[in-house]
Amino acid sequence: MWYTLLFILGVLSERFFKLNIGILQLSTGDLVILAALPWLYFNGGRLPKWTLYISGFTFLSLFIPMLLNNGMGLNSMISVPLKLLVSGIVYYELSNLQKRSVWILLVGALIIIFSINIVLFTGLGYFSKEIFNRNELYSYMLCLSCLYLLIYRRNEKSDRKFIRVALTLICLLIFLGLIAQSRQSIIATSVILLLSIIYFANLKTILTISFVLLVTAVVTTKPLLQGLSDDRFMKRIETVTALDPQTRADMFRLNNALYVINNFDKAPWFGKGATSFIKEGPYEKVVHNAYLTSLYETGLFGLSVLIGCLLFMLRPFRHGLRNRKMLPISLVLPSFFMLAFVIQALFIEILAKTAFYVLIGCSAYLIKEQRLFIDIKKNGKC
């Protein structure tokens, strides 16, 4: 598990340590990826086949636009497929985990550290200085929470204790979303909470809880947000409720989206190359939507590959819901965090986010465990 945690911390530090070598950029994250080579050597080069398929298609979706656009996106063409290979290492380390109690403590410590950073160092907490982006840290929290639950279930066989831990993590994410004034965090985590309620309860209980939550939200949400936020955040909330941009940043996002929709047809099939939108967009900033970014930069082919990767990530979610009567909650609930990340992709760029690659590895491990559990149960051994 050491490589997975090193990968998470290494990619996070990319914003602080970068080395320009001609048209290439090397960072600590790239050095960690290179460390995968000795890892593969000492572990017999064992990577699952799905890793090679996903990496191969992703490489093509970035290589073709790079060729058609004079080398645009060369760095991404190299780094993204290699990071997808790391997903296979995450899968392997979860499947062969030893000393689980130690890893529970280490991943739990990272969750605490990241939570403190969200509160203190994202520019909207108690200190005005922004060291990290709050939405980027939220994506890290999603993958760390999923990782923690997957490790925890290996140590703890009680569903009741597992549910308590999972709900604690969900409540923590909602609290951090409110403190950091992140709409996408609140929306994505609310989906996890709603799915958990639906999964735990029967229809009568669902209707009762939903009614109570609806009344509580209507009565308390606005005063609560006013107590935790400022005028700017209330305007950003109004953007969601009124579907009309109320701040300059929201207007930028809307104009970026409209620019993609109006201009992607100039290179519809393979796009204009990775990172091209930053150079050609109206504000020279990212779109803040992974799907639209992929559509503009890698065309319909690249968007199809991205959606395919995300559907691969959601396999345990779909499989878990189809077999909810056979599977324990500990083999289903972690997939809710994967769905939350897919929702968050509507608001962020994900190819540069560690969570994307870690959650793909977690997904492959979880679907394997789900199928193994069902097979054992059908054979009467469980």
Side-chain angles (χ1 to χ4, degrees), residues 210-240:
S210 299
F211 177 75
V212 172
L213 288 176
L214 179 62
V215 172
T216 304
V218 170
V219 174
T220 66
T221 298
K222 189 171 182 178
L224 177 63
L225 290 175
Q226 286 176 335
L228 290 173
S229 62
D230 50 24
D231 291 339
R232 180 174 177 273
F233 185 52
M234 294 309 298
K235 287 183 178 180
R236 294 168 67 221
I237 292 296
E238 191 176 345
T239 295
V240 177

PDB file of all heavy atoms in Angstrom, residues 210-240:
ATOM      1  N   SER A 210     -37.159  11.155   4.159  1.00  0.00           N
ATOM      2  CA  SER A 210     -37.107  12.184   3.116  1.00  0.00           C
ATOM      3  C   SER A 210     -37.974  13.379   3.490  1.00  0.00           C
ATOM      4  O   SER A 210     -37.583  14.530   3.283  1.00  0.00           O
ATOM      5  CB  SER A 210     -37.565  11.601   1.775  1.00  0.00           C
ATOM      6  OG  SER A 210     -36.724  10.548   1.375  1.00  0.00           O
ATOM      7  N   PHE A 211     -39.152  13.104   4.058  1.00  0.00           N
ATOM      8  CA  PHE A 211     -40.044  14.198   4.467  1.00  0.00           C
ATOM      9  C   PHE A 211     -39.403  15.025   5.573  1.00  0.00           C
ATOM     10  O   PHE A 211     -39.404  16.263   5.522  1.00  0.00           O
ATOM     11  CB  PHE A 211     -41.381  13.626   4.943  1.00  0.00           C
ATOM     12  CG  PHE A 211     -42.333  14.679   5.460  1.00  0.00           C
ATOM     13  CD1 PHE A 211     -43.003  15.515   4.582  1.00  0.00           C
ATOM     14  CD2 PHE A 211     -42.526  14.841   6.831  1.00  0.00           C
ATOM     15  CE1 PHE A 211     -43.866  16.493   5.060  1.00  0.00           C
ATOM     16  CE2 PHE A 211     -43.384  15.808   7.315  1.00  0.00           C
ATOM     17  CZ  PHE A 211     -44.057  16.637   6.423  1.00  0.00           C
ATOM     18  N   VAL A 212     -38.829  14.348   6.573  1.00  0.00           N
ATOM     19  CA  VAL A 212     -38.181  15.054   7.676  1.00  0.00           C
ATOM     20  C   VAL A 212     -36.996  15.879   7.168  1.00  0.00           C
ATOM     21  O   VAL A 212     -36.820  17.040   7.548  1.00  0.00           O
ATOM     22  CB  VAL A 212     -37.724  14.060   8.767  1.00  0.00           C
ATOM     23  CG1 VAL A 212     -36.882  14.773   9.826  1.00  0.00           C
ATOM     24  CG2 VAL A 212     -38.921  13.377   9.408  1.00  0.00           C
ATOM     25  N   LEU A 213     -36.174  15.276   6.283  1.00  0.00           N
ATOM     26  CA  LEU A 213     -35.029  15.999   5.736  1.00  0.00           C
ATOM     27  C   LEU A 213     -35.461  17.199   4.913  1.00  0.00           C
ATOM     28  O   LEU A 213     -34.843  18.267   4.966  1.00  0.00           O
ATOM     29  CB  LEU A 213     -34.175  15.058   4.878  1.00  0.00           C
ATOM     30  CG  LEU A 213     -33.351  14.005   5.621  1.00  0.00           C
ATOM     31  CD1 LEU A 213     -32.638  13.085   4.626  1.00  0.00           C
ATOM     32  CD2 LEU A 213     -32.325  14.669   6.537  1.00  0.00           C
ATOM     33  N   LEU A 214     -36.545  17.052   4.140  1.00  0.00           N
ATOM     34  CA  LEU A 214     -37.029  18.150   3.310  1.00  0.00           C
ATOM     35  C   LEU A 214     -37.496  19.316   4.168  1.00  0.00           C
ATOM     36  O   LEU A 214     -37.142  20.476   3.927  1.00  0.00           O
ATOM     37  CB  LEU A 214     -38.168  17.655   2.416  1.00  0.00           C
ATOM     38  CG  LEU A 214     -38.800  18.705   1.484  1.00  0.00           C
ATOM     39  CD1 LEU A 214     -37.750  19.215   0.501  1.00  0.00           C
ATOM     40  CD2 LEU A 214     -39.979  18.103   0.729  1.00  0.00           C
ATOM     41  N   VAL A 215     -38.276  19.000   5.201  1.00  0.00           N
ATOM     42  CA  VAL A 215     -38.758  20.055   6.105  1.00  0.00           C
ATOM     43  C   VAL A 215     -37.581  20.720   6.808  1.00  0.00           C
ATOM     44  O   VAL A 215     -37.505  21.952   6.913  1.00  0.00           O
ATOM     45  CB  VAL A 215     -39.759  19.476   7.129  1.00  0.00           C
ATOM     46  CG1 VAL A 215     -40.109  20.519   8.178  1.00  0.00           C
ATOM     47  CG2 VAL A 215     -41.007  18.978   6.423  1.00  0.00           C
ATOM     48  N   THR A 216     -36.642  19.908   7.291  1.00  0.00           N
ATOM     49  CA  THR A 216     -35.473  20.447   7.988  1.00  0.00           C
ATOM     50  C   THR A 216     -34.654  21.345   7.062  1.00  0.00           C
ATOM     51  O   THR A 216     -34.190  22.421   7.462  1.00  0.00           O
ATOM     52  CB  THR A 216     -34.585  19.303   8.509  1.00  0.00           C
ATOM     53  OG1 THR A 216     -35.366  18.453   9.346  1.00  0.00           O
ATOM     54  CG2 THR A 216     -33.408  19.847   9.290  1.00  0.00           C
ATOM     55  N   ALA A 217     -34.474  20.909   5.815  1.00  0.00           N
ATOM     56  CA  ALA A 217     -33.686  21.696   4.863  1.00  0.00           C
ATOM     57  C   ALA A 217     -34.344  23.036   4.581  1.00  0.00           C
ATOM     58  O   ALA A 217     -33.683  24.078   4.542  1.00  0.00           O
ATOM     59  CB  ALA A 217     -33.516  20.912   3.562  1.00  0.00           C
ATOM     60  N   VAL A 218     -35.671  23.025   4.394  1.00  0.00           N
ATOM     61  CA  VAL A 218     -36.391  24.267   4.102  1.00  0.00           C
ATOM     62  C   VAL A 218     -36.291  25.248   5.256  1.00  0.00           C
ATOM     63  O   VAL A 218     -36.112  26.457   5.080  1.00  0.00           O
ATOM     64  CB  VAL A 218     -37.870  23.958   3.781  1.00  0.00           C
ATOM     65  CG1 VAL A 218     -38.676  25.249   3.711  1.00  0.00           C
ATOM     66  CG2 VAL A 218     -37.984  23.185   2.481  1.00  0.00           C
ATOM     67  N   VAL A 219     -36.364  24.722   6.484  1.00  0.00           N
ATOM     68  CA  VAL A 219     -36.381  25.581   7.670  1.00  0.00           C
ATOM     69  C   VAL A 219     -34.991  26.077   8.055  1.00  0.00           C
ATOM     70  O   VAL A 219     -34.815  27.227   8.465  1.00  0.00           O
ATOM     71  CB  VAL A 219     -37.026  24.825   8.866  1.00  0.00           C
ATOM     72  CG1 VAL A 219     -36.917  25.647  10.149  1.00  0.00           C
ATOM     73  CG2 VAL A 219     -38.481  24.521   8.561  1.00  0.00           C
ATOM     74  N   THR A 220     -33.984  25.202   7.897  1.00  0.00           N
ATOM     75  CA  THR A 220     -32.675  25.524   8.485  1.00  0.00           C
ATOM     76  C   THR A 220     -31.565  25.862   7.497  1.00  0.00           C
ATOM     77  O   THR A 220     -30.581  26.479   7.882  1.00  0.00           O
ATOM     78  CB  THR A 220     -32.174  24.334   9.333  1.00  0.00           C
ATOM     79  OG1 THR A 220     -31.923  23.215   8.465  1.00  0.00           O
ATOM     80  CG2 THR A 220     -33.179  23.962  10.393  1.00  0.00           C
ATOM     81  N   THR A 221     -31.692  25.458   6.232  1.00  0.00           N
ATOM     82  CA  THR A 221     -30.554  25.587   5.315  1.00  0.00           C
ATOM     83  C   THR A 221     -30.107  27.030   5.141  1.00  0.00           C
ATOM     84  O   THR A 221     -28.920  27.355   5.268  1.00  0.00           O
ATOM     85  CB  THR A 221     -30.897  24.987   3.937  1.00  0.00           C
ATOM     86  OG1 THR A 221     -31.165  23.606   4.099  1.00  0.00           O
ATOM     87  CG2 THR A 221     -29.730  25.178   2.977  1.00  0.00           C
ATOM     88  N   LYS A 222     -31.043  27.925   4.848  1.00  0.00           N
ATOM     89  CA  LYS A 222     -30.644  29.311   4.602  1.00  0.00           C
ATOM     90  C   LYS A 222     -30.011  29.957   5.828  1.00  0.00           C
ATOM     91  O   LYS A 222     -28.930  30.563   5.725  1.00  0.00           O
ATOM     92  CB  LYS A 222     -31.843  30.125   4.118  1.00  0.00           C
ATOM     93  CG  LYS A 222     -31.445  31.513   3.625  1.00  0.00           C
ATOM     94  CD  LYS A 222     -32.606  32.207   2.947  1.00  0.00           C
ATOM     95  CE  LYS A 222     -32.167  33.573   2.418  1.00  0.00           C
ATOM     96  NZ  LYS A 222     -33.259  34.267   1.709  1.00  0.00           N
ATOM     97  N   PRO A 223     -30.622  29.850   7.046  1.00  0.00           N
ATOM     98  CA  PRO A 223     -29.938  30.418   8.227  1.00  0.00           C
ATOM     99  C   PRO A 223     -28.586  29.787   8.486  1.00  0.00           C
ATOM    100  O   PRO A 223     -27.642  30.479   8.880  1.00  0.00           O
ATOM    101  CB  PRO A 223     -30.920  30.104   9.374  1.00  0.00           C
ATOM    102  CG  PRO A 223     -32.241  29.947   8.715  1.00  0.00           C
ATOM    103  CD  PRO A 223     -31.954  29.337   7.376  1.00  0.00           C
ATOM    104  N   LEU A 224     -28.472  28.463   8.258  1.00  0.00           N
ATOM    105  CA  LEU A 224     -27.192  27.792   8.487  1.00  0.00           C
ATOM    106  C   LEU A 224     -26.129  28.327   7.539  1.00  0.00           C
ATOM    107  O   LEU A 224     -25.011  28.641   7.951  1.00  0.00           O
ATOM    108  CB  LEU A 224     -27.356  26.280   8.294  1.00  0.00           C
ATOM    109  CG  LEU A 224     -26.075  25.434   8.433  1.00  0.00           C
ATOM    110  CD1 LEU A 224     -25.514  25.551   9.841  1.00  0.00           C
ATOM    111  CD2 LEU A 224     -26.358  23.985   8.088  1.00  0.00           C
ATOM    112  N   LEU A 225     -26.476  28.435   6.259  1.00  0.00           N
ATOM    113  CA  LEU A 225     -25.514  28.945   5.291  1.00  0.00           C
ATOM    114  C   LEU A 225     -25.136  30.388   5.579  1.00  0.00           C
ATOM    115  O   LEU A 225     -23.994  30.793   5.407  1.00  0.00           O
ATOM    116  CB  LEU A 225     -26.090  28.823   3.873  1.00  0.00           C
ATOM    117  CG  LEU A 225     -26.217  27.394   3.331  1.00  0.00           C
ATOM    118  CD1 LEU A 225     -26.899  27.410   1.976  1.00  0.00           C
ATOM    119  CD2 LEU A 225     -24.863  26.734   3.237  1.00  0.00           C
ATOM    120  N   GLN A 226     -26.094  31.182   6.038  1.00  0.00           N
ATOM    121  CA  GLN A 226     -25.791  32.578   6.376  1.00  0.00           C
ATOM    122  C   GLN A 226     -24.828  32.653   7.559  1.00  0.00           C
ATOM    123  O   GLN A 226     -23.974  33.537   7.623  1.00  0.00           O
ATOM    124  CB  GLN A 226     -27.082  33.321   6.703  1.00  0.00           C
ATOM    125  CG  GLN A 226     -27.923  33.624   5.468  1.00  0.00           C
ATOM    126  CD  GLN A 226     -29.252  34.266   5.818  1.00  0.00           C
ATOM    127  OE1 GLN A 226     -29.772  34.104   6.922  1.00  0.00           O
ATOM    128  NE2 GLN A 226     -29.818  34.985   4.865  1.00  0.00           N
ATOM    129  N   GLY A 227     -24.937  31.686   8.476  1.00  0.00           N
ATOM    130  CA  GLY A 227     -24.044  31.686   9.628  1.00  0.00           C
ATOM    131  C   GLY A 227     -22.639  31.231   9.287  1.00  0.00           C
ATOM    132  O   GLY A 227     -21.672  31.658   9.908  1.00  0.00           O
ATOM    133  N   LEU A 228     -22.524  30.339   8.281  1.00  0.00           N
ATOM    134  CA  LEU A 228     -21.219  29.786   7.936  1.00  0.00           C
ATOM    135  C   LEU A 228     -20.541  30.486   6.771  1.00  0.00           C
ATOM    136  O   LEU A 228     -19.391  30.222   6.467  1.00  0.00           O
ATOM    137  CB  LEU A 228     -21.365  28.296   7.576  1.00  0.00           C
ATOM    138  CG  LEU A 228     -21.705  27.346   8.718  1.00  0.00           C
ATOM    139  CD1 LEU A 228     -21.984  25.958   8.166  1.00  0.00           C
ATOM    140  CD2 LEU A 228     -20.584  27.290   9.745  1.00  0.00           C
ATOM    141  N   SER A 229     -21.261  31.372   6.079  1.00  0.00           N
ATOM    142  CA  SER A 229     -20.732  31.898   4.834  1.00  0.00           C
ATOM    143  C   SER A 229     -20.834  33.412   4.769  1.00  0.00           C
ATOM    144  O   SER A 229     -21.298  34.072   5.693  1.00  0.00           O
ATOM    145  CB  SER A 229     -21.493  31.271   3.662  1.00  0.00           C
ATOM    146  OG  SER A 229     -22.868  31.618   3.744  1.00  0.00           O
ATOM    147  N   ASP A 230     -20.384  33.935   3.634  1.00  0.00           N
ATOM    148  CA  ASP A 230     -20.439  35.364   3.393  1.00  0.00           C
ATOM    149  C   ASP A 230     -21.366  35.641   2.215  1.00  0.00           C
ATOM    150  O   ASP A 230     -21.992  34.744   1.656  1.00  0.00           O
ATOM    151  CB  ASP A 230     -19.032  35.904   3.125  1.00  0.00           C
ATOM    152  CG  ASP A 230     -18.308  35.081   2.064  1.00  0.00           C
ATOM    153  OD1 ASP A 230     -19.002  34.431   1.243  1.00  0.00           O
ATOM    154  OD2 ASP A 230     -17.069  35.092   2.052  1.00  0.00           O
ATOM    155  N   ASP A 231     -21.443  36.917   1.828  1.00  0.00           N
ATOM    156  CA  ASP A 231     -22.347  37.296   0.742  1.00  0.00           C
ATOM    157  C   ASP A 231     -21.991  36.616  -0.566  1.00  0.00           C
ATOM    158  O   ASP A 231     -22.868  36.251  -1.357  1.00  0.00           O
ATOM    159  CB  ASP A 231     -22.321  38.823   0.555  1.00  0.00           C
ATOM    160  CG  ASP A 231     -22.955  39.553   1.732  1.00  0.00           C
ATOM    161  OD1 ASP A 231     -23.753  38.910   2.455  1.00  0.00           O
ATOM    162  OD2 ASP A 231     -22.662  40.744   1.930  1.00  0.00           O
ATOM    163  N   ARG A 232     -20.692  36.431  -0.802  1.00  0.00           N
ATOM    164  CA  ARG A 232     -20.261  35.822  -2.053  1.00  0.00           C
ATOM    165  C   ARG A 232     -20.764  34.389  -2.156  1.00  0.00           C
ATOM    166  O   ARG A 232     -21.215  33.948  -3.215  1.00  0.00           O
ATOM    167  CB  ARG A 232     -18.727  35.847  -2.150  1.00  0.00           C
ATOM    168  CG  ARG A 232     -18.186  35.222  -3.430  1.00  0.00           C
ATOM    169  CD  ARG A 232     -16.674  35.423  -3.529  1.00  0.00           C
ATOM    170  NE  ARG A 232     -16.118  34.767  -4.701  1.00  0.00           N
ATOM    171  CZ  ARG A 232     -15.721  33.509  -4.728  1.00  0.00           C
ATOM    172  NH1 ARG A 232     -15.819  32.767  -3.627  1.00  0.00           N
ATOM    173  NH2 ARG A 232     -15.238  32.976  -5.828  1.00  0.00           N
ATOM    174  N   PHE A 233     -20.675  33.641  -1.042  1.00  0.00           N
ATOM    175  CA  PHE A 233     -21.128  32.258  -1.079  1.00  0.00           C
ATOM    176  C   PHE A 233     -22.640  32.186  -1.263  1.00  0.00           C
ATOM    177  O   PHE A 233     -23.158  31.321  -1.965  1.00  0.00           O
ATOM    178  CB  PHE A 233     -20.718  31.542   0.204  1.00  0.00           C
ATOM    179  CG  PHE A 233     -21.049  30.064   0.190  1.00  0.00           C
ATOM    180  CD1 PHE A 233     -20.650  29.264  -0.864  1.00  0.00           C
ATOM    181  CD2 PHE A 233     -21.743  29.478   1.236  1.00  0.00           C
ATOM    182  CE1 PHE A 233     -20.937  27.908  -0.888  1.00  0.00           C
ATOM    183  CE2 PHE A 233     -22.033  28.128   1.221  1.00  0.00           C
ATOM    184  CZ  PHE A 233     -21.627  27.342   0.160  1.00  0.00           C
ATOM    185  N   MET A 234     -23.379  33.111  -0.649  1.00  0.00           N
ATOM    186  CA  MET A 234     -24.824  33.117  -0.822  1.00  0.00           C
ATOM    187  C   MET A 234     -25.191  33.386  -2.280  1.00  0.00           C
ATOM    188  O   MET A 234     -26.154  32.826  -2.812  1.00  0.00           O
ATOM    189  CB  MET A 234     -25.459  34.167   0.091  1.00  0.00           C
ATOM    190  CG  MET A 234     -25.327  33.861   1.585  1.00  0.00           C
ATOM    191  SD  MET A 234     -25.873  32.183   2.034  1.00  0.00           S
ATOM    192  CE  MET A 234     -27.603  32.253   1.572  1.00  0.00           C
ATOM    193  N   LYS A 235     -24.403  34.237  -2.957  1.00  0.00           N
ATOM    194  CA  LYS A 235     -24.643  34.470  -4.383  1.00  0.00           C
ATOM    195  C   LYS A 235     -24.358  33.215  -5.188  1.00  0.00           C
ATOM    196  O   LYS A 235     -25.049  32.916  -6.172  1.00  0.00           O
ATOM    197  CB  LYS A 235     -23.769  35.620  -4.871  1.00  0.00           C
ATOM    198  CG  LYS A 235     -24.223  36.996  -4.379  1.00  0.00           C
ATOM    199  CD  LYS A 235     -23.346  38.092  -4.961  1.00  0.00           C
ATOM    200  CE  LYS A 235     -23.831  39.470  -4.514  1.00  0.00           C
ATOM    201  NZ  LYS A 235     -22.995  40.554  -5.065  1.00  0.00           N
ATOM    202  N   ARG A 236     -23.319  32.458  -4.786  1.00  0.00           N
ATOM    203  CA  ARG A 236     -22.991  31.227  -5.489  1.00  0.00           C
ATOM    204  C   ARG A 236     -24.071  30.174  -5.277  1.00  0.00           C
ATOM    205  O   ARG A 236     -24.388  29.408  -6.192  1.00  0.00           O
ATOM    206  CB  ARG A 236     -21.633  30.702  -5.014  1.00  0.00           C
ATOM    207  CG  ARG A 236     -20.484  31.638  -5.396  1.00  0.00           C
ATOM    208  CD  ARG A 236     -19.195  31.290  -4.684  1.00  0.00           C
ATOM    209  NE  ARG A 236     -18.685  30.009  -5.132  1.00  0.00           N
ATOM    210  CZ  ARG A 236     -18.168  29.108  -4.336  1.00  0.00           C
ATOM    211  NH1 ARG A 236     -18.093  29.328  -3.041  1.00  0.00           N
ATOM    212  NH2 ARG A 236     -17.712  27.982  -4.817  1.00  0.00           N
ATOM    213  N   ILE A 237     -24.671  30.141  -4.089  1.00  0.00           N
ATOM    214  CA  ILE A 237     -25.801  29.244  -3.841  1.00  0.00           C
ATOM    215  C   ILE A 237     -26.990  29.671  -4.693  1.00  0.00           C
ATOM    216  O   ILE A 237     -27.704  28.838  -5.268  1.00  0.00           O
ATOM    217  CB  ILE A 237     -26.185  29.245  -2.346  1.00  0.00           C
ATOM    218  CG1 ILE A 237     -25.077  28.598  -1.514  1.00  0.00           C
ATOM    219  CG2 ILE A 237     -27.508  28.521  -2.122  1.00  0.00           C
ATOM    220  CD1 ILE A 237     -24.862  27.127  -1.819  1.00  0.00           C
ATOM    221  N   GLU A 238     -27.185  30.981  -4.831  1.00  0.00           N
ATOM    222  CA  GLU A 238     -28.286  31.488  -5.641  1.00  0.00           C
ATOM    223  C   GLU A 238     -28.101  31.117  -7.112  1.00  0.00           C
ATOM    224  O   GLU A 238     -29.064  30.935  -7.847  1.00  0.00           O
ATOM    225  CB  GLU A 238     -28.387  33.013  -5.498  1.00  0.00           C
ATOM    226  CG  GLU A 238     -29.670  33.595  -6.088  1.00  0.00           C
ATOM    227  CD  GLU A 238     -29.786  35.088  -5.848  1.00  0.00           C
ATOM    228  OE1 GLU A 238     -29.040  35.612  -4.990  1.00  0.00           O
ATOM    229  OE2 GLU A 238     -30.616  35.723  -6.521  1.00  0.00           O
ATOM    230  N   THR A 239     -26.860  30.992  -7.552  1.00  0.00           N
ATOM    231  CA  THR A 239     -26.587  30.532  -8.920  1.00  0.00           C
ATOM    232  C   THR A 239     -27.214  29.168  -9.158  1.00  0.00           C
ATOM    233  O   THR A 239     -27.787  28.899 -10.217  1.00  0.00           O
ATOM    234  CB  THR A 239     -25.072  30.454  -9.165  1.00  0.00           C
ATOM    235  OG1 THR A 239     -24.516  31.769  -9.094  1.00  0.00           O
ATOM    236  CG2 THR A 239     -24.768  29.853 -10.526  1.00  0.00           C
ATOM    237  N   VAL A 240     -27.116  28.289  -8.145  1.00  0.00           N
ATOM    238  CA  VAL A 240     -27.670  26.937  -8.255  1.00  0.00           C
ATOM    239  C   VAL A 240     -29.193  26.967  -8.180  1.00  0.00           C
ATOM    240  O   VAL A 240     -29.881  26.324  -8.974  1.00  0.00           O
ATOM    241  CB  VAL A 240     -27.102  26.023  -7.149  1.00  0.00           C
ATOM    242  CG1 VAL A 240     -27.728  24.640  -7.230  1.00  0.00           C
ATOM    243  CG2 VAL A 240     -25.584  25.936  -7.261  1.00  0.00           C
TER     244      VAL A 240
END
